Amino acid sequence: MSTLSSMQAVYTDDIPAEHPWSRRIARGQTLRIIDSEGQQAVDALLYGADDAAERYSAQDTMRAGNSPYVGLGSKLISNKGRVLACLTADTCGMHDTSAGCCSCESNAVRFGEDTRYQHACRENFILELSKYGMTKRDIVANLNFFMNVPIEPSGNFTVVDGISASGNYVDITAEMDVIFVISNCPQINNPCNGFNPTPIRVEIFDPPAA
Ligand SMILES: [Zn+2]
């Protein structure tokens, strides 16, 4: 649990089901992502606010954490090997950074051509990144908060039922100024959102007074 109370938040926003969101998070600020209704995957990407060529690296994060998952204490590492942010609270305990984000193309391959028209995280990322002059070329392997993807000893993995309950949250404290980009996942063909995408809430906290 965190000592930060929602009363102290300097910014609060409810992100509707299936929608994207982004914001600059200053060094020392904490972003809280709340799974308002439970079982909702939150796809996320981080970019250096001053140099977007520096960005989240799932590979370096897993290597630095010596784990295929992220959780309390995890350092989110950039492609330049620096710490973008740290997970400073986590009441869920299950987050993925292997399974990537859903797309119209992957939906069509996995679930059939008739799902190709459905809205997907990749489209959300493209929309949100366009605000910063970035394109689909800038989408990298992402984080999936609250998404339950157990990895078997063989290396195979499958998206299974989420374990996050209504009100579960994760706190991410920025170690440098970052652009934090979210896709509130619209997927309805696997259980990552309980087959029912729902709203999430984001809150931002200033660093504690010295
Ligand atoms: Zn998705």
Side-chain angles (χ1 to χ4, degrees):
M1 295 290 283
S2 167
T3 55
L4 297 170
S5 154
S6 293
M7 304 274 290
Q8 303 166 269
V10 296
Y11 170 95
T12 301
D13 195 15
D14 286 303
I15 306 175
E18 308 184 4
H19 279 234
W21 175 93
S22 69
R23 195 155 174 102
R24 183 183 178 118
I25 311 291
R27 181 180 181 191
Q29 285 188 318
T30 296
L31 173 69
R32 174 171 292 172
I33 305 171
I34 304 169
D35 187 354
S36 302
E37 299 185 21
Q39 282 198 329
Q40 177 59 49
V42 178
D43 293 47
L45 289 166
L46 293 82
Y47 298 84
D50 298 320
D51 175 15
E54 182 164 16
R55 54 197 52 184
Y56 177 68
S57 167
Q59 296 88 344
D60 290 294
T61 295
M62 289 188 276
R63 187 160 53 225
N66 197 30
S67 169
Y69 308 108
V70 296
L72 181 64
S74 288
K75 292 178 167 63
L76 306 183
I77 307 293
S78 78
N79 57 341
K80 297 187 178 179
R82 300 199 295 169
V83 181
L84 294 163
C86 291
L87 268 67
T88 47
D90 176 16
T91 66
C92 171
M94 183 54 78
H95 312 284
D96 165 78
T97 192
S98 300
C101 74
C102 62
S103 68
C104 298
E105 294 80 5
S106 65
N107 279 344
V109 169
R110 288 180 190 156
F111 309 115
E113 261 317 304
D114 58 343
T115 64
R116 185 182 288 273
Y117 73 94
Q118 292 171 354
H119 190 53
C121 284
R122 188 168 169 83
E123 280 59 52
N124 270 342
F125 281 148
I126 291 169
L127 278 169
E128 206 61 29
L129 290 175
S130 70
K131 297 177 181 175
Y132 305 93
M134 291 190 275
T135 71
K136 57 189 174 184
R137 290 177 62 113
D138 297 294
I139 300 174
V140 294
N142 62 291
L143 282 152
N144 292 303
F145 293 109
F146 310 117
M147 192 157 101
N148 189 8
V149 188
I151 301 171
E152 298 169 9
S154 66
N156 291 336
F157 56 77
T158 310
V159 179
V160 299
D161 288 351
I163 63 166
S164 65
S166 169
N168 275 178
Y169 63 83
V170 60
D171 285 359
I172 304 113
T173 302
E175 294 282 320
M176 67 173 81
D177 292 0
V178 295
I179 304 294
F180 203 106
V181 184
I182 281 174
S183 167
N184 191 8
C185 181
Q187 182 61 267
I188 55 171
N189 301 291
N190 72 31
C192 66
N193 305 317
F195 301 100
N196 177 34
T198 48
I200 57 171
R201 175 170 288 185
V202 286
E203 297 172 341
I204 297 173
F205 300 88
D206 280 337

